[in-house]
Amino acid sequence: MTGSTYTTSTALLEAMREAGARHAFANLGSDHTGIMEAYAHAKGSGTLDSLPELILCPHEFVALSAAHGYAQVSGEPQAVLVHVDCGTQNLGGAIHNASRGRVPVLIFAGLSPVTQQGELPGTRSEHIHWLQDSADQRGMLRGYAKYDQEIRTGRTMKQLVHRAMQMARSEPAGPVYLTAAREILEEELPPQPPQGDWWAPVAPAALADEVADEVADALEGARAPLVVTSYLGRDPAAVPELVRLCDLAAVGVVESVPMTVNFPDDHPLHLGYQWNRPEQNPVLAEADVILVLGSDVPWIPGHNRPDAAARIYVIDVDPVKERMPLWHVPARRYARADLATAVRQLAGRLARRGRLDQVAVQARAAWVHARHDAQRERWAGAEQPPPDGAITPEYLVACVRDAVGPDALVLNEAISNYHVVSEHLRASRPGSVLGSGGGSLGWSGGAAVGAKLAAPDRTVVSLVGDGSYLFGVPSSAQWMARRYRAPSLTVIFDNQGWKTPSLSTMAVHPAGNVAAGAFAASFQPGADLPGVAAAAGGAYARTVTAADLLPVALRRALDHVRRGQSAVISARVAPVCEGEPP
Ligand SMILES: Cc1ncc(C[n+]2csc(CCOP(=O)(O)OP(=O)(O)O)c2C)c(N)n1
Ligand SMILES: [Mg+2]
């Protein structure tokens, strides 16, 4: 075949762009011949703007993580192109993260050619076309993709891309997966007209009047009302709405497993964070009315639960967690609603009805504020470095906070130090912290690249465990950061191993052999982790072992980042085990 002018591949790429994908994070292969021709043709004819910008990704996990980070920051769905079955498999845990994080992204993979004797343009031409033909390629992502479909003719390509994107963007948002054989991608077509205007996502849902009344009644009658949230702040506009509601009725807020800033840390009604620490949160136990506003894990009932008599209301875009096999919160009412809309409705109702007992509200506000202040005082005390000059995680986060300032965009993948980041970063600006939303480690490597592409004027900072840094394929992510001018600062909590599996084991076997120190998942002998980034992406690379050297190391690293060069600082914190690994 010679260079064709308009094919199904052109329609695919145009439709992605029409649906809002500014980028296609791509790892290419023999299924993408039509796509490469389409880009080459667009370049020659000056029409590249009608296609997503192609971002080459040496690893697919990083490609999807970058699309994830971009979509989180911009709210715009992105596209990912991968190679048949094996490229799909290399997406690995990034598809879990996108699904659990409810991130809109369209993944497209080719299929091996469906003809083998030259019957159609695009027919099999390489040995791998027999090897890469799999029985159920789409099945690999089932359970994680919201929608999957094979495109069987170029005539429906644009419709199906828009339909898939409409699904991806409608709440609860999530990844979608399309495939097409090479013959389909090579099919010549008359140019397909734009369709973007006809496939908007489903409009935000409001609370039914009777539900809004019931929740407002509960708040008016509450002695100790509490909001628990994990991801209300994915929509930064929802945060000031929540502040207004909480101010009106003096409602305290606990962030459970926060994936973003849901409520300003410096607001006196903020009552702290819940991660995995095996202890009862007294604030949760004392509450008599609890609004769970956007949370997959509002508490871990095995060790931390509300009072049995508490009246609980779940309001969420996904109130019964349709993709989770086992899930339950003992709520009076489950309501599906857009959180900014629902919270605005509740605040409007409380203000209009004027039934709140103002004396009780004032007294409660004073009590919550005192608790907030005591909590912050305790946290501030923990930031002092010990006399031996070692770097503690609390000190590390405090140094990062002071160095980067409140406008930075912080990616939290600190794992056994997740809670330390929450408590010491003191993030108060909506949209200034991100988590993956899932549990497959390595997200921050690619997500930092995507986040910086989406917000070129912001300083992007990843706080990451040493294990998670390696899971993120830093060779690939750091190369992309240089090639696409998306520099960021990575700070590694380098405890030279995986601490969390030991913590998990000790929680199950508190007096077991691991608790006694007989085994630890150590990375000794230690690796030069920043050196990986220097080799692959020309990053500024430093390892810091003493507390007093940290502030200046961070300042220097940030200078490099501001000049366009990525920087990776490994901060040596207490190792998972001393000396030789047991
Ligand atoms: C893809 C993936 N593989 C394995 C795990 C299991 N896992 C959970 S925490 C952890 C250790 C992470 O190490 P690090 O980032 O250094 O954090 P630390 O526990 O040392 O704080 C592992 C391997 C996981 N969550 N995801
Ligand atoms: Mg570690």
Side-chain angles (χ1 to χ4, degrees):
M1 243 190 126
T2 53
S4 47
T5 54
Y6 197 101
T7 64
T8 308
S9 296
T10 323
L12 165 71
L13 297 166
E14 282 182 355
M16 287 173 168
R17 186 72 196 83
E18 289 162 23
R22 288 175 199 273
H23 301 89
F25 295 91
N27 192 294
L28 300 172
S30 60
D31 46 341
H32 299 140
T33 52
I35 288 171
M36 290 190 66
E37 280 293 323
Y39 272 109
H41 182 265
K43 198 169 170 191
S45 59
T47 55
L48 269 178
D49 280 356
S50 61
L51 313 183
E53 184 188 347
L54 197 70
I55 305 286
L56 296 181
C57 304
H59 197 288
E60 292 85 347
F61 178 90
V62 182
L64 182 49
S65 299
H68 186 149
Y70 192 106
Q72 282 179 295
V73 173
S74 66
E76 295 169 5
Q78 298 301 298
V80 172
L81 297 176
V82 295
H83 174 54
V84 294
D85 61 340
C86 44
T88 301
Q89 287 168 321
N90 256 11
L91 293 169
I95 184 72
H96 155 106
N97 288 335
S99 173
R100 292 294 182 248
R102 299 185 181 82
V103 170
V105 53
L106 184 143
I107 303 162
F108 178 86
L111 300 170
S112 258
V114 289
T115 60
Q116 58 182 352
Q117 295 176 0
E119 294 93 332
L120 286 169
T123 191
R124 292 186 183 185
S125 56
E126 301 172 39
H127 73 283
I128 38 97
H129 293 151
W130 283 267
L131 307 180
Q132 292 176 337
D133 193 5
S134 67
D136 186 12
Q137 187 174 310
R138 285 190 278 146
M140 290 172 190
L141 296 192
R142 210 155 287 137
Y144 296 95
K146 270 185 83 178
Y147 169 78
D148 62 77
Q149 189 53 271
E150 177 185 346
I151 292 151
R152 301 189 177 108
T153 160
R155 305 289 165 152
T156 56
M157 174 58 94
K158 282 205 171 182
Q159 289 175 48
L160 286 170
V161 169
H162 283 293
R163 174 164 168 70
M165 278 292 212
Q166 185 177 43
M167 298 256 198
R169 296 165 69 199
S170 295
E171 292 288 3
V176 293
Y177 183 53
L178 293 177
T179 62
R182 191 162 80 166
E183 290 90 336
I184 303 298
L185 291 168
E186 291 287 348
E187 187 186 338
E188 292 203 29
L189 289 178
Q192 302 288 295
Q195 297 200 6
D197 291 346
W198 310 110
W199 299 91
V202 173
L207 291 174
D209 277 342
E210 59 271 26
V211 175
D213 281 336
E214 184 182 338
V215 179
D217 288 347
L219 287 173
E220 284 161 356
R223 172 186 48 77
L226 184 70
V227 163
V228 181
T229 171
S230 305
Y231 53 74
L232 170 135
R234 273 182 194 154
D235 171 11
V239 177
E241 302 287 356
L242 182 60
V243 169
R244 176 162 175 253
L245 173 69
C246 293
D247 278 341
L248 270 171
V251 184
V253 178
V254 165
E255 293 189 74
S256 177
V257 199
M259 292 297 152
T260 181
V261 175
N262 300 293
F263 197 76
D265 181 276
D266 61 5
H267 192 291
L269 291 170
H270 196 298
L271 285 175
Y273 306 88
Q274 291 176 170
W275 284 90
N276 291 326
R277 255 191 308 231
E279 62 195 22
Q280 174 69 50
N281 182 352
V283 172
L284 186 67
E286 288 160 23
D288 63 340
V289 170
I290 300 174
L291 308 192
V292 179
L293 301 179
S295 180
D296 292 329
V297 188
W299 47 79
I300 298 175
H303 58 249
N304 180 31
R305 66 175 83 99
D307 186 76
R311 278 180 295 159
I312 301 170
Y313 298 89
V314 169
I315 303 174
D316 204 315
V317 291
D318 183 13
V320 290
K321 315 297 166 190
E322 286 163 27
R323 293 190 158 271
M324 284 186 201
L326 178 65
W327 189 87
H328 183 65
V329 161
R332 293 278 170 114
R333 180 80 65 189
Y334 303 83
R336 189 186 302 278
D338 169 67
L339 288 165
T341 307
V343 170
R344 191 180 318 120
Q345 281 178 284
L346 292 173
R349 265 195 172 48
L350 291 182
R352 227 176 15 256
R353 303 200 312 192
R355 293 184 203 154
L356 284 162
D357 173 349
Q358 290 306 329
V359 176
V361 167
Q362 295 302 325
R364 185 159 68 228
W367 179 83
V368 175
H369 294 183
R371 210 154 180 167
H372 166 95
D373 290 345
Q375 210 171 44
R376 270 58 189 177
E377 216 174 292
R378 208 169 57 243
W379 295 346
E383 291 174 4
Q384 292 306 315
D388 67 358
I391 300 173
T392 62
E394 292 79 2
Y395 172 74
L396 173 55
V397 177
C399 288
V400 171
R401 176 191 68 214
D402 295 345
V404 304
D407 293 333
L409 179 51
V410 177
L411 278 54
N412 183 2
E413 199 168 33
I415 316 301
S416 66
N417 290 302
Y418 272 137
H419 65 286
V420 179
V421 173
S422 291
E423 290 174 1
H424 296 275
L425 199 59
R426 315 289 294 271
S428 295
R429 186 178 151 179
S432 64
V433 179
L434 296 175
S436 75
S440 189
L441 306 182
W443 154 86
S444 60
V449 177
K452 182 65 180 176
L453 289 173
D457 297 335
R458 293 185 77 176
T459 302
V460 175
V461 181
S462 301
L463 302 182
V464 60
D466 51 332
S468 298
Y469 172 76
L470 290 173
F471 274 119
V473 201
S475 51
S476 177
Q478 293 286 338
W479 175 84
M480 287 166 61
R482 176 154 70 173
R483 159 94 186 236
Y484 296 103
R485 297 190 180 86
S488 67
L489 169 64
T490 302
V491 180
I492 303 172
F493 289 69
D494 191 355
N495 57 13
Q496 299 188 38
W498 299 332
K499 185 172 180 186
T500 302
S502 289
L503 295 176
S504 306
T505 307
M506 289 189 271
V508 178
H509 303 278
N513 298 311
V514 168
F519 177 79
S522 155
F523 283 170
Q524 286 172 23
D528 177 8
L529 300 178
V532 175
Y540 174 81
R542 287 290 178 276
T543 293
V544 184
T545 55
D548 58 343
L549 301 178
L550 197 54
V552 67
L554 288 169
R555 252 199 323 276
R556 284 216 185 105
L558 282 165
D559 285 344
H560 284 268
V561 172
R562 289 187 186 116
R563 288 202 298 269
Q565 181 190 13
S566 278
V568 178
I569 299 277
S570 164
R572 290 281 170 88
V573 296
V576 294
C577 70
E578 303 283 355
E580 285 299 301

